[in-house]
Amino acid sequence: MISKSRHIRGFLFFLLLMGILSCTEKDAGLLEKGISKELAVFRKSHISNVSYNLSFRVPDNSEEGIDGRLALKFEFIDEITDLILDFNASPDLIHEIKIADQIVKADIKNEHIVIPSKYLGKTNTIEFDFTAGSLSLNRHDDYLFTLFVPDRASTCFPLMDQPDIKATYKLELNIPKHWTAVANGIERKVLNEGDRRTFQFEETQPISSYLFAFAAGEFDIVERTMAGRKIRMIHRETDSVRLAENIEEIFQQHSRAIDWLEKYTGIPYPFPKFDFVLIPSFQYGGMEHPGAVFYKASSLLLSESSTLNQQMGRARLIAHETAHMWFGNLVTMRWFDDVWLKEVFANFMASKIIDPQFPNINHDLQFLMGHYPTAYDVDRTDGTHPISQQLDNLKNAGSLYGSIIYQKAPIVMRMLEQKIGDSIFQEGLKIYLNNNRYSNASWDDLIGIMEQQSGMNLDMWNQRWVKTSGMPTIMYRLRENKNNDHLNSFQLVSQSSKNDYWPQQVTVAFEKGDTIQLVPVNIDAYSVKMKTDSIYYPHHLFTNYGGLGYGYFTMGPVSMEYYLANIKKVKSSVARGSLWINYYEQVLRGQLKPELLMEAILKQLPIEKEALIIEYLNTRVSTLFWKIFTPEQRLKYASKIEGILLNMAINTTSTELKSSFFKTFYDVTITQHSIDLIKNIWDDKVVVEGLVLSEEDHISLAYELAVRQVDSTSYILDYQIEKVKNKDRKERMKWVIKALNPDPQERDAFFESLKNEENRENEEWVLEAMNYLNHPLRQPQSDKYIRPGLELLEEIKTTGDIFFPKRWLDALLSGHQSAEAANEVRQFLYKHNKYPADLKNKILQTSDMLFRSVQIQAENDSISIE
Ligand SMILES: [Zn+2]
């Protein structure tokens, strides 16, 4: 509990000592940096009825500070304690704290402000005079916008920055006269005085702190009334043609999504207005602030030549953010460990809303290719984690995000809907939303409702899929009935360490000649026996033909060979996708030789018609080539691979696929002949018909030539820099090419420079450079970067953006495949046996491929010696 030491002059030393003692012993968890779960639980149990009355004065000059005033009101539920607020900026920015005109002496340290209980009563109003911390204000010369998720509001002003202390926010913004402003609440009044104006916004409904938002600056406003509802778009786009081309569709998509969600949930749009803001430099695709959704401008304003995929991506994004108004904003997770829940529902609803609008897309195939491979990439590793994770402090929220949340969770949610039926699922969601309006709820609350609605016991399912990590292995056993050519018995058996199973539904295909029998099987036990009287004894079979099953599905040698050789005969594209995904899993488990998979892919690529499968196969060509093949295997296959990819790049009519083939071609090229060709294409001496190369593409080609050590590397890079017109890209290139210097000593010096935090500021640049520094062709000289690169990880977590540690590891390790490199990682893990668990898991996730590759190569060698 919080110390309530009264300050008595003269006993300062004694008190100081007491303070330290009580702090280390009792309050360490509450007052640690960031927002600990302990602090959040403590505050939630003591405090209620919170409101913030905020005003900010934004000066004309973006270098000048933003003055702020805050009146915080709240009540203690019972016991009156010290009040701990979060303020993650310099303590100097807090100028004065007052309660009832009395100046309060507060303790400001460790990113917190502690107001002693002696100043406080049952109901309180505390006034703050401060300068806003600017870290999350994204200030530009003529606009600014907030981005406070997950705990960044406390970098701007003092508050209780946790999702389950929902509060109302009343905001006033004083801004330059030619600016406009938007926030969560409705604009109540605008006062113009001289060269300034003040926007007063209505008080919001209770919302979580990460959802509080405002933007101000030189913006234009477009207003439409859609189905009786006023919707506003706030933007900075000056290209009127581009605006005109997009505007109708953007408003339509929003209106359609709102209508759909009102019907599905039975709850009218829960906030008083709907605005959305298009921001040029926005960090994410979109952020769902209630009443004021922020979007990256380019994700809504598509160019004239936009593809169907881009249009669908935009519709999906709009539906996703709109769905959050109910799932996330109206009902919010208690703590960020359940953040997956709002994301999975937003995606889930988005699919339901937009799929019918794009009837020509195979949505099942898209779901399969878009979710399963990426989920497996993490779930097959020792560093994987359950969908539901522990989070001890909001400052670590970044480590929650990843493929398990974004790719595996939707798969699991789809399973749940299928298991209990879509109408029961919908009813359950309605109850969940209705019971927790403007409040918080957890996954356990929801699964409880689903159990009640369906009358099913979902505990086993929940434990397996949400609370346990990893993917199951599903095997089969079969026996022939010699009398009638039919199956005598067929069993699906789950292999898992605990000898239990992962409940799910799969579709098994039994094939004999031209007949195919598809049989749905409900895996509801460790070993499932099927009724087999009517099934022919098959020539070959595949147990995840329907593509919905999650896991690794073993295949017998006959079936494996058959499908590999005859995949073009498989008519269902979902089944083909599922087979390819499963073959790759077999390679990684040493069950299929990588060369055999490569040959099958090269055979299918020219005849495959599904774009989604072609793009997957292109990625696999690159993975097999760089991450799994030995240098000898690369040499053996290079001409063939390059020939097929180039041929496809020339002959494919689809612009998107043309570029996908061409990118894979120059990514894997190692023969002199092809390198020369790439140089000529870069130089515009050779033109591939229909292939449009942007400035970015030319830069990539120059890099790829440089990493291949062509004679004229320096000339190519210098010439390319000179040719680049865009200023930002020129700066970036000047920086990144240090990683491509032909002189190994120069590259070492560059890597050394990355140990200095200042040189890692631009993370996108760093990652691009690190990828080239650790390119597969740089092995083994780059082995020496592994250990110091890993040593930096803890520092990178504290100094970098939340996604940076994993991306740093990807760039550091994904180009390596040697036993020496694997050994470097093992040595590091051995030496640091008390390493932070979240970072260790990231290392295990990333190095899994390296370890597997070494293993596969070792097996390959032992085979060739025999
Ligand atoms: Zn979202």
Side-chain angles (χ1 to χ4, degrees):
M1 303 302 101
I2 278 292
S3 79
K4 291 187 219 166
S5 52
R6 311 270 164 178
H7 293 260
I8 305 165
R9 278 164 220 265
F11 287 93
L12 199 61
F13 175 71
F14 172 72
L15 281 178
L16 198 65
L17 192 67
M18 282 298 291
I20 291 165
L21 280 179
S22 64
C23 193
T24 48
E25 281 173 10
K26 294 177 181 169
D27 306 341
L30 297 180
L31 285 176
E32 73 178 33
K33 284 191 178 179
I35 294 121
S36 68
K37 188 166 185 190
E38 203 182 333
L39 173 61
V41 170
F42 176 80
R43 282 196 298 221
K44 177 69 189 169
S45 66
H46 284 82
I47 285 165
S48 70
N49 282 336
V50 182
S51 72
Y52 299 94
N53 194 339
L54 278 156
S55 66
F56 293 105
R57 187 187 179 280
V58 183
D60 292 62
N61 181 348
S62 64
E63 305 284 310
E64 258 175 62
I66 294 180
D67 290 332
R69 299 185 76 83
L70 161 66
L72 159 65
K73 287 188 184 174
F74 71 96
E75 281 172 25
F76 280 111
I77 294 168
D78 39 43
E79 184 195 1
I80 294 168
T81 68
D82 291 358
L83 175 70
I84 304 176
L85 297 174
D86 311 315
F87 186 63
N88 183 8
S90 165
D92 305 339
L93 297 179
I94 302 290
H95 308 310
E96 193 174 77
I97 306 176
K98 271 180 167 177
I99 297 178
D101 287 334
Q102 188 192 355
I103 291 188
V104 171
K105 278 198 170 165
D107 197 7
I108 309 180
K109 66 175 181 199
N110 258 9
E111 304 170 5
H112 296 292
I113 300 176
V114 183
I115 309 223
S117 59
K118 65 173 177 185
Y119 295 108
L120 302 168
K122 168 92 172 129
T123 59
N124 301 280
T125 303
I126 311 177
E127 290 175 310
F128 295 82
D129 193 342
F130 65 99
T131 301
S134 56
L135 186 70
S136 306
L137 286 178
N138 302 287
R139 294 182 71 180
H140 298 257
D141 283 341
D142 50 4
Y143 70 102
L144 62 80
F145 64 92
T146 61
L147 183 57
F148 288 158
V149 65
D151 58 346
R152 297 279 167 96
S154 51
T155 66
C156 180
F157 63 96
L159 79 164
M160 288 170 266
D161 205 357
Q162 65 188 74
D164 61 344
I165 298 194
K166 287 200 175 181
T168 61
Y169 293 80
K170 207 170 171 183
L171 176 69
E172 188 178 284
L173 289 175
N174 180 270
I175 53 178
K177 195 181 163 188
H178 54 291
W179 283 26
T180 190
V182 56
N184 305 102
I186 293 178
E187 187 182 300
R188 183 163 54 98
K189 220 186 246 175
V190 184
L191 306 164
N192 293 306
E193 313 142 70
D195 57 354
R196 310 280 307 165
R197 63 196 312 212
T198 303
F199 274 70
Q200 294 175 343
F201 298 94
E202 297 279 8
E203 186 165 43
T204 66
Q205 278 128 319
I207 56 172
S208 296
S209 55
Y210 76 93
L211 292 170
F212 171 61
F214 58 86
E218 291 177 11
F219 284 98
D220 287 324
I221 300 176
V222 182
E223 189 179 309
R224 288 282 157 90
T225 302
M226 310 291 297
R229 180 180 287 110
K230 196 169 104 177
I231 301 180
R232 297 194 310 166
M233 173 170 116
I234 291 98
H235 71 94
R236 291 170 53 82
E237 182 56 54
T238 46
D239 182 343
S240 56
V241 178
R242 195 166 174 198
L243 265 181
E245 275 167 5
N246 285 285
I247 223 160
E248 224 34 68
E249 189 62 15
I250 295 174
F251 275 97
Q252 280 294 348
Q253 290 292 353
H254 277 99
S255 176
R256 229 176 267 164
I258 297 171
D259 287 348
W260 191 95
L261 282 150
E262 286 188 331
K263 280 201 193 87
Y264 184 86
T265 63
I267 299 174
Y269 173 66
F271 299 95
K273 59 131 180 162
F274 198 111
D275 290 342
F276 56 94
V277 189
L278 273 58
I279 295 168
S281 57
F282 197 62
Q283 288 88 330
Y284 310 145
M287 179 64 209
E288 69 261 24
H289 312 116
V293 181
F294 291 179
Y295 290 107
K296 183 186 284 186
S298 59
S299 41
L300 293 200
L301 297 175
L302 302 181
S303 69
E304 202 185 351
S305 59
S306 67
T307 60
L308 192 63
N309 262 333
Q310 285 169 313
Q311 288 159 27
M312 197 161 75
R314 171 174 70 182
R316 194 179 289 281
L317 174 66
I318 292 173
H320 175 110
E321 302 307 339
T322 309
H324 272 314
M325 297 300 151
W326 286 260
F327 298 94
N329 297 359
L330 178 66
V331 180
T332 314
M333 66 270 169
R334 289 203 172 87
W335 185 239
F336 265 83
D337 54 354
D338 264 341
V339 68
W340 66 276
L341 200 54
K342 78 176 175 77
E343 291 313 318
V344 81
F345 276 125
N347 278 338
F348 205 70
M349 296 300 142
S351 290
K352 284 183 186 293
I353 296 167
I354 67 141
D355 287 0
Q357 297 175 35
F358 296 87
N360 295 329
I361 302 260
N362 184 337
H363 296 290
D364 286 336
L365 180 66
Q366 188 166 54
F367 188 83
L368 176 75
M369 305 317 277
H371 292 84
Y372 288 69
T374 329
Y376 292 161
D377 278 345
V378 175
D379 230 4
R380 77 170 85 85
T381 75
D382 290 338
T384 190
H385 56 81
I387 290 175
S388 168
Q389 300 168 79
Q390 301 289 322
L391 176 68
D392 54 351
N393 191 310
L394 273 191
K395 71 175 182 210
N396 298 326
S399 63
L400 298 175
Y401 294 86
S403 307
I404 297 298
I405 283 193
Y406 285 110
Q407 271 79 32
K408 186 180 180 183
I411 295 172
V412 166
M413 200 52 75
R414 202 177 177 203
M415 279 183 190
L416 179 63
E417 188 186 37
Q418 214 172 40
K419 191 176 174 69
I420 66 176
D422 45 8
S423 60
I424 293 176
F425 186 80
Q426 184 181 358
E427 272 317 301
L429 286 181
K430 281 183 178 175
I431 295 171
Y432 165 79
L433 290 173
N434 259 310
N435 288 356
N436 302 293
R437 287 165 177 242
Y438 304 106
S439 181
N440 302 78
S442 67
W443 161 249
D444 289 335
D445 298 329
L446 177 61
I447 196 80
I449 295 170
M450 293 300 186
E451 279 197 327
Q452 223 167 27
Q453 287 302 301
S454 64
M456 287 182 196
N457 181 347
L458 297 172
D459 189 50
M460 168 75 182
W461 181 89
N462 186 23
Q463 286 304 328
R464 264 289 160 221
W465 289 107
V466 178
K467 312 246 166 166
T468 310
S469 60
M471 56 196 279
T473 297
I474 316 285
M475 301 173 299
Y476 63 86
R477 293 191 198 118
L478 76 170
R479 204 151 12 107
E480 184 178 5
N481 184 336
K482 293 270 169 8
N483 300 329
N484 61 5
D485 209 18
H486 279 52
L487 267 174
N488 188 24
S489 72
F490 185 85
Q491 258 177 301
L492 276 181
V493 187
S494 304
Q495 184 200 54
S496 69
S497 51
K498 286 180 191 145
N499 204 26
D500 49 9
Y501 66 97
W502 301 65
Q504 59 177 323
Q505 186 109 36
V506 297
T507 302
V508 183
F510 298 95
E511 295 198 58
K512 183 174 190 171
D514 289 336
T515 8
I516 176 164
Q517 283 176 288
L518 297 178
V519 183
V521 185
N522 188 19
I523 302 181
D524 58 359
Y526 167 67
S527 165
V528 183
K529 228 178 175 158
M530 275 170 52
K531 214 167 152 353
T532 52
D533 324 343
S534 59
I535 302 172
Y536 286 113
Y537 186 82
H539 290 152
H540 35 266
L541 66 98
F542 179 44
T543 51
N544 193 20
Y545 199 87
L548 285 177
Y550 185 88
Y552 168 53
F553 295 81
T554 62
M555 290 175 98
V558 177
S559 296
M560 178 142 85
E561 237 172 78
Y562 170 82
Y563 285 115
L564 209 51
N566 297 286
I567 202 154
K568 62 169 191 253
K569 290 188 190 158
V570 176
K571 288 201 183 72
S572 151
S573 44
V574 168
R576 284 203 305 284
S578 181
L579 277 161
W580 285 122
I581 292 170
N582 207 52
Y583 276 129
Y584 180 61
E585 294 302 311
Q586 295 190 0
V587 168
L588 295 180
R589 284 164 179 77
Q591 299 299 309
L592 173 64
K593 283 187 164 190
E595 285 172 303
L596 292 179
L597 180 56
M598 180 67 97
E599 279 168 18
I601 292 176
L602 295 177
K603 214 170 101 191
Q604 181 69 9
L605 260 183
I607 48 177
E608 178 59 60
K609 294 278 178 289
E610 279 288 350
L612 288 164
I613 294 183
I614 293 173
E615 300 218 10
Y616 175 80
L617 294 180
N618 276 340
T619 319
R620 283 298 160 252
V621 167
S622 169
T623 330
L624 288 170
F625 189 81
W626 285 125
K627 298 191 183 179
I628 297 176
F629 271 13
T630 60
E632 295 73 37
Q633 284 172 317
R634 280 185 211 143
L635 281 177
K636 183 175 152 198
Y637 280 89
S639 305
K640 188 174 177 188
I641 296 173
E642 291 165 14
I644 289 172
L645 291 171
L646 182 63
N647 196 23
M648 294 309 295
I650 294 170
N651 293 317
T652 306
T653 44
S654 142
T655 341
E656 258 172 89
L657 288 180
K658 204 179 237 319
S659 132
S660 170
F661 280 119
F662 184 66
K663 284 199 165 106
T664 316
F665 167 68
Y666 72 69
D667 174 59
V668 299
T669 281
I670 55 168
T671 69
Q672 195 53 49
H673 180 74
S674 294
I675 294 174
D676 292 343
L677 177 65
I678 289 173
K679 185 157 177 263
N680 286 330
I681 293 174
W682 167 76
D683 234 353
D684 297 325
K685 286 188 187 130
V686 173
V687 175
V688 179
E689 205 193 314
L691 183 77
V692 187
L693 292 179
S694 64
E695 193 168 83
E696 292 272 21
D697 293 328
H698 276 103
I699 296 173
S700 296
L701 288 176
Y703 289 165
E704 293 296 324
L705 290 167
V707 85
R708 284 165 178 78
Q709 310 259 44
V710 293
D711 291 338
S712 43
T713 292
S714 305
Y715 159 77
I716 290 173
L717 293 175
D718 290 345
Y719 182 72
Q720 184 63 49
I721 288 183
E722 214 164 290
K723 261 199 340 190
V724 171
K725 291 194 189 78
N726 178 293
K727 195 171 134 249
D728 299 337
R729 279 201 277 275
K730 204 189 259 293
E731 287 305 306
R732 176 177 180 146
M733 206 187 153
K734 276 185 192 161
W735 199 89
V736 169
I737 60 163
K738 296 178 203 162
L740 285 156
N741 197 303
D743 181 355
Q745 279 181 334
E746 291 290 329
R747 295 202 299 271
D748 291 352
F750 172 70
F751 177 78
E752 204 55 36
S753 77
L754 294 178
K755 292 181 181 172
N756 182 346
E757 186 197 336
E758 278 169 27
N759 294 325
R760 297 193 306 266
E761 243 161 45
N762 200 321
E763 295 177 357
E764 293 299 320
W765 296 9
V766 173
L767 294 171
E768 186 163 36
M770 280 288 284
N771 266 314
Y772 282 112
L773 217 47
N774 292 282
H775 190 280
L777 290 171
R778 293 292 195 218
Q779 302 177 93
Q781 302 109 297
S782 56
D783 285 356
K784 58 175 171 293
Y785 305 141
I786 292 179
R787 202 85 75 88
L790 293 171
E791 303 280 359
L792 271 177
L793 193 60
E794 277 187 280
E795 186 187 316
I796 277 175
K797 187 187 153 183
T798 49
T799 56
D801 183 70
I802 53 173
F803 299 116
F804 196 41
K806 175 70 167 68
R807 298 176 73 196
W808 167 269
L809 286 171
D810 285 337
L812 177 70
L813 295 177
S814 69
H816 291 274
Q817 50 156 202
S818 68
E820 290 74 18
N823 202 31
E824 289 286 318
V825 179
R826 280 207 186 88
Q827 291 280 336
F828 176 86
L829 290 171
Y830 178 74
K831 211 176 116 197
H832 298 82
N833 54 357
K834 289 203 178 101
Y835 203 62
D838 61 329
L839 293 180
K840 186 181 172 189
N841 279 343
K842 300 274 181 230
I843 297 178
L844 290 173
Q845 287 171 19
T846 317
S847 56
D848 179 82
M849 195 65 203
L850 168 61
F851 294 146
R852 282 182 196 269
S853 178
V854 171
Q855 175 94 22
I856 293 166
Q857 287 168 26
E859 278 161 18
N860 199 57
D861 287 348
S862 66
I863 293 166
S864 56
I865 292 164
E866 272 169 33

